Amino acid sequence: MWLESTKCEFPLFVDEDRQLYKAFGLGRSIKKVWNMDSMKYYGQQKALGRSLPKSFENVEDDPHQMGGDFVVDEEGVLRLMYRSKVPSDRPTVDRLIAVMKECEQRSDGEPPAKKPKTC
């Protein structure tokens, strides 16, 4: 559903049972999700006329789950692990693109790194 609605061109792993989510050590937090900075961020987005994310029909959503961003290369090696501290805490797009370019270079013959980079 999300892939269809965003027309995302990158391969993504959909973790409906949240198994990978748990394996990456992501958790849930009412305190972090509903803190003043988060409320301010959502208020600013609405004031700017931007729409907020909506739930999909027939998808069990957990608004208290903490997010994260991960890049896994073609061999299944974790190249970036970023656990969000609050909902608006995300790596920059430039950082994600840089890691994906590094993965592309490695696929051209460079040996894989031993540990994922964390931000």
Side-chain angles (χ1 to χ4, degrees):
M1 289 185 213
W2 184 86
L3 291 173
E4 292 169 5
S5 69
T6 62
K7 297 178 178 56
C8 181
E9 298 177 14
F10 294 104
L12 297 174
F13 178 79
V14 179
D15 187 20
E16 292 178 12
D17 297 325
R18 295 182 177 90
Q19 292 177 359
L20 193 57
Y21 178 85
K22 292 171 189 166
F24 282 153
L26 300 172
R28 302 175 76 245
S29 176
I30 295 170
K31 180 180 178 181
K32 290 179 182 179
V33 170
W34 300 109
N35 68 37
M36 287 306 292
D37 287 338
S38 295
M39 300 306 290
K40 180 179 169 183
Y41 170 80
Y42 291 123
Q44 288 172 335
Q45 297 305 304
K46 289 301 282 181
L48 292 170
R50 297 181 181 148
S51 62
L52 300 178
K54 296 178 182 168
S55 296
F56 291 101
E57 283 186 43
N58 303 320
V59 174
E60 184 181 334
D61 192 20
D62 182 357
H64 302 132
Q65 90 178 23
M66 295 300 297
D69 294 271
F70 304 88
V71 175
V72 180
D73 70 13
E74 290 178 345
E75 273 88 52
V77 176
L78 182 62
R79 297 296 178 183
L80 174 80
M81 177 169 50
Y82 191 100
R83 295 182 188 111
S84 300
K85 294 172 186 67
V86 295
S88 60
D89 175 34
R90 306 311 280 220
T92 65
V93 171
D94 289 340
R95 179 72 186 124
L96 292 169
I97 290 171
V99 172
M100 288 188 283
K101 284 182 179 179
E102 288 174 19
C103 291
E104 187 175 69
Q105 290 171 349
R106 282 190 182 93
S107 70
D108 293 336
E110 189 179 313
K114 296 197 185 219
K115 280 179 73 176
K117 295 180 180 183
T118 57
C119 298

